[in-house]
Amino acid sequence: MTRVGILYPGYSAEDDYKTFASRLDDVELPLVHTLMREDAHRVDALLDVGSEEVLSKGAEELSNAGIDSAVWACTSGSFVFGWDGARRQVQGVRDVVGVPASSTSFAFVHALRQLRLSRVAIAATYPDDVARHFERFLTEAGVTVLSLASHGIVTAAEVGRLDPDEALDFVISNDHPGADAVLVPDTALHSADLIDPMEALLGKTVLTANQVSIWEGLRLAGRCESRPGPGNLFRSGTSTVRDAFERR
C-alpha cells in the first residue's frame, strides 16, 4: 500500500481525494487541512495560504502519518510564489516530513513532460489576474499556453460547490484546437468523475489539479506504473521525468 500525504488548504473539494483513492489500487491518501485565514482567490490571500508558517504546521502533522511522499495540493498557493518561491515551498515541506515532496504546480509540469505534451489550453476557475500567474509559471517551464479562460470565481468554497455539468461545459468550451491538453488548475474543483467524460468529448488529455497532485505523489513514491484511470495520465506508465524543482 502506497500512502501519499496531501496538504490541502481549507475545505472545499477534499472529498475528491476519497473518490480518486477508491478508483486507484493500493493507494491511500491521508489528508491534512492547512490553515486558510481567508478564502479568496486573490494574490495577497494566496501568499498567506502558502506561507512557510502555514505549510510547516501542516507538514508536522503529516509527518506522523506514515507516508511515502507528500504533496502541497494547492495550485494557486504555489504558483503565485513564482518558480523559485514554489521550489522553496517544496524544500520546506520535504525538510519537515522527511520524504519526497512536491506541489500541484510542479505536478502539472511533470505530468506534461511525462506525456510529452507542450501546447496547452487553460480553463481556470480563478479570476483572470490569478490565472495569469499560472500561465507565467508554465511558460517558465517551457510550456506553450495557447489560450487562457478564467471563470472568475473568487472563493474555493464556491468552486467546490460548482455544478458538475457547469464545470464540464466550462472546460469543454475553452479548449483550443491546437492544444495537446486542457489544464484545469484548481484543487477546489471536484474532478475525479469528470476527467474521463471530458477526455472522451475533447479527444485529448485533460489534466486537473487533484488528479496531477495524486499522480505526482505516486511518482515520487516510485509507484507511477500504468494503472486504470481516471484519465490518460494514470494510464501513461512509469514516469522518467526529472524533477523540475531541482533542475530546469
Side-chain angles (χ1 to χ4, degrees), residues 4 17 19-21 23-25 27 29 111 114-115 191-192 195-196 199 205-219 223-239:
V4 175
Y17 287 86
T19 305
F20 273 103
R23 298 177 62 181
L24 298 169
D25 293 334
V27 175
L29 302 171
Q114 162 68 14
L115 296 167
S191 67
I195 298 168
D196 286 333
E199 289 190 339
T205 294
V206 174
L207 299 176
T208 73
N210 291 331
Q211 175 201 32
V212 301
S213 296
I214 297 164
W215 177 86
E216 178 81 331
L218 292 171
R219 183 187 73 83
R223 288 291 312 280
C224 206
E225 64 270 16
S226 178
R227 61 180 73 225
N232 293 332
L233 179 61
F234 284 111
R235 297 189 289 268
S236 66
T238 302
S239 173

Side-chain angles (χ1 to χ4, degrees), residues 103-174:
S103 69
T104 309
S105 292
F106 286 119
F108 273 108
V109 174
H110 293 151
L112 289 169
R113 291 181 180 178
Q114 162 68 14
L115 296 167
R116 294 179 172 84
L117 306 177
S118 62
R119 296 164 61 85
V120 306
I122 299 173
T125 49
Y126 320 121
D128 183 72
D129 65 320
V130 172
R132 294 289 173 187
H133 284 270
F134 185 47
E135 180 182 25
R136 287 193 287 272
F137 189 93
L138 293 175
T139 299
E140 189 164 359
V143 177
T144 300
V145 178
L146 297 177
S147 62
L148 171 63
S150 301
H151 204 307
I153 301 177
V154 175
T155 70
E158 187 178 353
V159 174
R161 295 190 297 267
L162 197 63
D163 181 80
D165 288 338
E166 182 180 350
L168 188 147
D169 288 344
F170 173 68
V171 174
I172 297 300
S173 299
N174 288 290

Side-chain angles (χ1 to χ4, degrees), residues 45-111:
L46 293 168
L47 290 172
D48 183 65
V49 164
S51 67
E52 181 180 359
E53 171 201 353
V54 169
L55 290 186
S56 293
K57 186 174 181 180
E60 286 175 6
E61 185 176 347
L62 198 57
S63 67
N64 299 316
I67 57 174
D68 299 295
S69 61
V71 178
W72 165 225
C74 183
T75 331
S76 56
S78 48
F79 66 63
V80 293
F81 285 82
W83 189 276
D84 291 334
R87 183 166 51 186
R88 286 191 294 271
Q89 279 185 332
V90 168
Q91 183 63 57
V93 171
R94 183 190 301 142
D95 289 345
V96 174
V97 297
V99 296
S102 187
S103 69
T104 309
S105 292
F106 286 119
F108 273 108
V109 174
H110 293 151

